Amino acid sequence: MNGQSSLRGEVGKHIVLLLGASIVILPFYLMLSFSFKSPAEIQSITGGFFGAQEMMTDQFCVKQGRPLAECQMLPVVYNYTAAFREAPLLRYLLNGVIVTLSIFFIQVLVALPCAYALAKLRFWGRDVVFGLVLFCLLIPVHAIALPLYIMLAKVGLTNTYAALIIPWTISVFGIFLMRQFFMTVPDDLIDAARMDGMSEFSIVWKVMLPTAIPALLAFAIFSIVAHWNDYFWPRIVITGDRDLMTPPLGLRMFKSDLDGNEYGPMMAAATVIVAPLVVAFLLAQRRFIEGITLSGMK
Amino acid sequence: MASIRLESITKAFGRTQVLNGIDLDIADGEFLTLVGPSGCGKSTLLRIIAGLEKQSGGDVNIDGKTVNDIRPSRRDLAMVFQSYALYPHLTVRQNLATPLQLRDMTFTERLPIIGRLAPGYSGKRAAIRDAVKNVSDTLQIEHLLDRKPGQLSGGQRQRIALGRAMVRDPAGFLMDEPLSNLDAALRVHMRAELSALHRSLGTTFVYVTHDQAEALTMSDRMAVMMDGEILQLGEPDEVYQQPMDIRVARFVGSPQINIVTGDMDDDGRIAFLGVKLARRPSDGTTGRISIGLRPEHLYLHPHTPGKTFCGELVYKENLGSEVFLYIKVADTEDNIIIRVNPTEAQSIALGDETHIAHEPGKALIFNDQGRRITLAGSPLGEDAA
Ligand SMILES: Nc1ncnc2c1ncn2[C@@H]1O[C@H](COP(=O)(O)OP(=O)(O)OP(=O)(O)O)[C@@H](O)[C@H]1O
Ligand SMILES: [Mg+2]
C-alpha cells in the first residue's frame, strides 16, 4: 500500500520533471535538428531529427557558375558551410571570447579588493558603502544604458572593444558575492598572514583568492554566460562594424542578410554560437559542483 | 629574546570599554600566562601586543622600544592562533616557508620564474629549506610536509601552526588558546611539550587561556584578568594560595573554592557558620565579609562547637585517587565541597550528617568589596578556640 503510493508519487514527480525538461530542451532540439535538415524538410516538418540527408543543390554555388555536380551536397554540410560563408562566425566567436574574458578578468580585479575591504577591514562608513553596493544591485542596466551610451559616445569610444567592456568592469553582483564568501573566511587566517608580513594586497591575491576559488567559479559562470549572451548592449554600442560584433549580434545580422526561408544555415550559426558555452559549462560543471560541496563541508 | 612592557593600555570598541589600563612587565624569556573568563579581553590584549589591533591608549614596548606604530610583522613576534590559521591552499612545507620567504626574500625574488634569476636566490632558498627542516625535525612533522592542512588531524595542525611560528626564530611567541581545540589527553600531553619547548628555546612566551589548569601547570607567572583588568599577577602557587581578590579565588582552583559569608564582631573576631577564627584583621575593617575555603583545606572532624560546622552529604564525586564530597550546609547558597581520600569517603553515606573543620590559617578572608584582608595573630589559636 505504502510502496504503491510512494511509487505513484515518484512517477508523478518524474512526469512533471520530464515535462519541464522538455519545455526547456525543445527549442534547442529544434535548433539542432533544423541545422541538419534541408529547406524542404524544414518547411514540411518531416525527416525526424537528422532529416533524410538527401543530396541537395546549393543555389548560391550554381549562381557562381560552377558545374552542377560540384554544387551537390548533404543538407548538413550545406547548412554549416553557408553559415560560415555568410557571416564571419569565427570572428564573432573570437570577439565573444575577447569581450567576455576581459570583462571577467577586470571584474575580478575590481571585485576582490572591494569585497575584501567590505568584509574584513574596519573603516568609517563601511556599512553605508555596502548598503550602496546592495542598492546598485537593484538598478536595471536598461535604465542607465542611455547615459552610459552618451558618455561613451562623448569620449569617442563607440564601436570599440572598450565600449563593450568598460561598462561591465565593476560588477556589484561580483562584489556582493565575493564579500559574502569572504565573510566566512576566518579572521585569524588574515591576521596570520599579517603576522607573516603580507601586505593587504598580497593577502587579497595570495590568501583570499585561493580560498575563494569555488565562489569565483560560480561568479565566472554567471558573468561569462551573461555577457556572452548579451544582445542588448552590443546592439547599442556597435553600429555597423562587423569585425566587432559579438555572437548574438552577429546572429541577428545573419538573419537580415539571408532571405527569410534559410532556416538551416541560421540554425547552424546559432548552434555554433551556443556550442562554446555548452561545452564550457559541461567541462566546468564537475568542478563547479565540487567547489560548492567543498565549501559547504568546511 | 625580548622583554615586553605594557603601559596603561586601554582599548574600547565603540562605546564598550574592553581594557581599562593594563600595566604588565614581561621579562625576557618568561612564560607568562594571561588567564581569565571568556570575554575578559585576553585575546584583545594579545592582539594589541602583536600589533593586529590598535590600542586606544597606552604604550607597548618591546625591548625598551615603543612599537605602537610598528607593523605586526616588524615586531619580531610570532603568533599561534586558536584556529591554527594555516593557509588551506598551501602544503605544510609551503606554510612553514611562507613567513621566511616574506621576511627574507625581496619582491622580485618571490616572483615565480623571474625570481630564480635574482642573485641571492639560491642561497636564500637553501637557507629557508634548512630552517624548515630544522623545525620539522624538532616537532617531528617531516612526514606531513607534503600534505595540505585539510588532510591533517587537529593535533597535527596544531603542531604545524607551532612550527610556522617557530620557523622565524622570533623574539617572542604569542599564543591564543592554542590547545583549546584538542581532546583532553592530547591537551595534557601538549602542555608538557610546550613547557619543554619553552625551556629549550628560552624565548618569551605570552600564553592566553581560559583554562586555569594550563596556567597553573605551565607558567612562570600568571596574570588573572577579569573585566578588562589584571586582578593579580604572580607565580601560579602564589596566585592559588594567596588570591588578593575574591574573583581570583573563585576563578583559580578546581573544584571551585568554597565561599561562605561571615561576620566580624566589634572586637574584630571573625565568625562563620558557628566557627570562630583566632586571627583578626590587621587593619580595622569591620562589617560583612566572605570567607574562602579550598576543598583541600577542609576535612571531616568529630563535632566540636566553635570549630566545626555541619551539613548533609548530597553528592560524592569519585575521581579515583581522591573524592570530593558535596555538602549541603544550612545558610549557604552553594554546596560546600571538601576533598577527602577514598577510604574516608567510604565511611559516610549520602544523606549523613557530617561535621567539617578547616585547617587553621588557611581561611581566606575578603571584605565586602571582594578585596583580601590579611589577618594577624597566630592561626594555631584557631585550634584552641
Ligand atoms: N572587533 C570587535 N568589535 C567589538 N567588540 C569586540 C571586538 N573584539 C572583541 N570585542 C569585545 O571585547 C571583549 C573582549 O574580547 P576578547 O576576544 O579579548 O575576549 P577573550 O578574553 O579573548 O575571550 P575568550 O576566552 O572567549 O576568547 C568581548 O566582550 C568582545 O565582545
Ligand atoms: Mg579569545
Side-chain angles (χ1 to χ4, degrees):
Chain A
M1 180 67 207
N2 205 350
Q4 281 257 318
S5 72
S6 88
L7 182 72
R8 206 172 301 155
E10 283 297 302
V11 170
K13 230 187 279 173
H14 278 84
I15 288 176
V16 172
L17 287 176
L18 277 174
L19 243 128
S22 50
I23 290 173
V24 174
I25 286 178
L26 195 65
F28 279 92
Y29 172 84
L30 283 181
M31 177 186 78
L32 210 58
S33 173
F34 282 10
S35 79
F36 295 144
K37 294 192 203 178
S38 68
E41 284 166 334
I42 293 172
Q43 287 294 326
S44 57
I45 319 187
T46 52
F49 180 62
F50 276 114
Q53 298 295 349
E54 282 164 4
M55 285 297 180
M56 59 172 282
T57 322
D58 183 353
Q59 296 303 331
F60 183 79
C61 171
V62 177
K63 262 185 241 157
Q64 282 184 329
R66 306 241 200 97
L68 204 62
E70 221 174 86
C71 293
Q72 293 282 337
M73 56 178 77
L74 292 174
V76 52
V77 178
Y78 165 74
N79 287 342
Y80 281 88
T81 45
F84 279 94
R85 183 180 62 215
E86 292 298 327
L89 274 189
L90 287 178
R91 179 80 212 190
Y92 296 160
L93 291 177
L94 180 70
N95 287 342
V97 170
I98 292 175
V99 170
T100 45
L101 288 189
S102 313
I103 289 175
F104 176 64
F105 184 72
I106 305 177
Q107 276 177 340
V108 170
L109 222 57
V110 175
L112 282 193
C114 288
Y116 173 71
L118 286 174
K120 292 296 178 191
L121 300 182
R122 270 181 269 152
F123 55 91
W124 190 85
R126 180 176 81 166
D127 294 339
V128 177
V129 174
F130 185 59
L132 284 177
V133 167
L134 289 179
F135 178 72
C136 287
L137 276 174
L138 303 176
I139 301 176
V141 271
H142 307 85
I144 53 169
L146 189 61
L148 264 180
Y149 175 78
I150 294 172
M151 278 156 69
L152 287 169
K154 280 257 151 59
V155 287
L157 282 179
T158 45
N159 285 312
T160 59
Y161 279 129
L164 289 170
I165 294 167
I166 289 174
W168 310 113
T169 48
I170 299 175
S171 162
V172 272
F173 176 72
I175 295 173
F176 173 73
L177 186 79
M178 297 318 290
R179 185 256 184 196
Q180 296 309 89
F181 187 85
F182 285 173
M183 292 296 282
T184 67
V185 175
D187 287 343
D188 279 358
L189 186 60
I190 295 160
D191 284 335
R194 286 187 186 133
M195 293 297 290
D196 281 351
M198 284 196 199
S199 66
E200 298 295 310
F201 266 102
S202 315
I203 291 176
V204 172
W205 302 116
K206 290 193 185 151
V207 180
M208 301 306 266
L209 176 68
T211 55
I213 294 288
L216 215 56
L217 246 135
F219 176 58
I221 289 178
F222 168 85
S223 163
I224 290 175
V225 168
H227 295 111
W228 181 273
N229 289 334
D230 189 18
Y231 173 70
F232 172 74
W233 186 250
R235 179 85 180 84
I236 291 180
V237 291
I238 304 300
T239 50
D241 189 350
R242 276 202 148 197
D243 281 350
L244 289 174
M245 284 186 179
T246 56
L249 195 55
L251 200 60
R252 205 205 94 102
M253 292 298 131
F254 192 86
K255 179 175 176 271
S256 56
D257 287 351
L258 287 169
D259 58 48
N261 294 336
E262 291 277 27
Y263 284 124
M266 220 162 79
M267 290 301 110
T271 307
V272 170
I273 280 164
V274 296
L277 267 195
V278 174
V279 170
F281 181 74
L282 288 181
L283 286 180
Q285 191 188 26
R286 254 185 75 97
R287 283 244 29 196
F288 186 54
I289 292 168
E290 261 172 18
I292 286 182
T293 41
L294 244 176
S295 62
M297 258 157 36
K298 251 194 301 203
Chain B
M1 307 296 115
S3 59
I4 300 169
R5 185 187 171 85
L6 304 178
E7 284 168 17
S8 51
I9 296 285
T10 57
K11 176 71 191 177
F13 288 109
R15 305 227 325 266
T16 36
Q17 192 74 21
V18 175
L19 297 176
N20 326 307
I22 301 276
D23 289 296
L24 188 57
D25 255 314
I26 304 167
D28 185 10
E30 184 174 25
F31 194 130
L32 182 113
T33 308
L34 292 170
V35 65
S38 190
C40 70
K42 309 177 297 283
S43 299
T44 307
L45 186 61
L46 198 70
R47 291 165 51 80
I48 287 174
I49 299 174
L52 294 168
E53 198 86 62
K54 186 123 186 65
Q55 67 269 32
S56 311
D59 290 319
V60 180
N61 288 297
I62 296 176
D63 272 339
K65 282 195 292 286
T66 309
V67 294
N68 293 348
D69 298 318
I70 292 181
R71 292 209 336 228
S73 55
R74 298 254 173 268
R75 295 189 181 188
D76 200 15
L77 301 172
M79 190 146 168
V80 180
F81 295 87
Q82 180 177 358
S83 61
Y84 314 138
L86 301 170
Y87 303 118
H89 58 289
L90 299 180
T91 62
V92 168
R93 189 190 306 279
Q94 290 165 326
N95 262 291
L96 293 180
T98 301
L100 292 178
Q101 285 167 350
L102 287 165
R103 187 189 63 186
D104 297 339
M105 296 170 92
T106 61
F107 178 75
T108 38
E109 282 167 352
R110 289 202 304 267
L111 290 176
I113 295 160
I114 308 164
R116 284 160 202 270
L117 306 175
Y121 179 80
S122 54
K124 286 181 185 174
R125 272 287 297 241
I128 289 172
R129 207 176 314 122
D130 289 348
V132 169
K133 173 138 181 34
N134 273 339
V135 166
S136 48
D137 282 348
T138 314
L139 293 175
Q140 295 163 2
I141 49 176
E142 303 93 336
H143 59 294
L144 305 174
L145 284 179
D146 293 314
R147 297 206 207 159
K148 296 243 172 105
Q151 301 162 318
L152 301 175
S153 73
Q156 289 168 332
R157 272 181 231 180
Q158 208 276 331
R159 292 181 102 78
I160 311 299
L162 208 55
R164 183 174 64 173
M166 280 165 63
V167 77
R168 272 202 295 163
D169 196 14
F173 286 94
L174 308 175
M175 305 196 179
D176 194 352
E177 310 198 19
L179 305 186
S180 60
N181 286 344
L182 303 180
D183 67 55
L186 193 54
R187 204 178 310 161
V188 172
H189 172 78
M190 282 306 293
R191 265 190 228 159
E193 211 164 295
L194 274 179
S195 292
L197 189 68
H198 172 247
R199 272 194 305 279
S200 70
L201 294 175
T203 313
T204 314
F205 275 45
V206 184
Y207 187 98
V208 162
T209 179
H210 63 255
D211 180 351
Q212 41 108 7
E214 283 175 19
L216 289 171
T217 48
M218 294 194 291
S219 32
D220 293 330
R221 283 194 304 163
M222 62 193 271
V224 183
M225 280 183 73
M226 238 163 266
D227 305 326
E229 282 176 73
I230 291 182
L231 295 181
Q232 189 167 357
L233 171 67
E235 287 170 20
D237 280 345
E238 181 193 331
V239 172
Y240 183 80
Q241 282 160 14
Q242 303 295 335
M244 296 315 291
D245 192 293
I246 195 164
R247 290 173 287 173
V248 176
R250 278 212 169 96
F251 186 78
V252 181
S254 170
Q256 257 196 8
I257 193 167
N258 302 296
I259 303 283
V260 298
T261 51
D263 288 311
M264 197 158 7
D265 59 22
D266 294 339
D267 194 25
R269 289 289 299 263
I270 292 164
F272 66 93
L273 303 174
V275 180
K276 272 195 177 340
L277 298 188
R279 295 175 301 161
R280 295 156 201 245
S282 42
D283 54 356
T285 25
T286 52
R288 255 178 90 80
I289 49 168
S290 302
I291 292 108
L293 297 160
R294 296 242 179 243
E296 64 268 31
H297 297 145
L298 294 173
Y299 53 97
L300 300 173
H301 190 274
H303 177 56
T304 318
K307 181 170 165 166
T308 61
F309 56 94
C310 73
E312 178 196 334
L313 180 65
V314 292
Y315 179 60
K316 283 189 198 178
E317 188 177 40
N318 189 351
L319 299 182
S321 60
E322 58 197 9
V323 180
F324 291 104
L325 304 179
Y326 289 67
I327 292 160
K328 175 90 197 93
V329 176
D331 307 333
T332 60
E333 264 174 49
D334 300 317
N335 292 332
I336 300 287
I337 305 169
I338 78 172
R339 190 185 74 183
V340 295
N341 62 43
T343 38
E344 260 182 304
Q346 269 165 10
S347 68
I348 61 170
L350 290 186
D352 282 0
E353 194 186 58
T354 47
H355 296 273
I356 303 156
H358 75 276
E359 269 182 51
K362 296 295 189 182
L364 304 168
I365 319 296
F366 302 93
N367 69 14
D368 52 358
Q369 267 99 49
R371 301 299 302 165
R372 176 82 179 281
I373 306 168
T374 47
L375 299 183
S378 162
L380 292 175
E382 285 170 30
D383 252 344

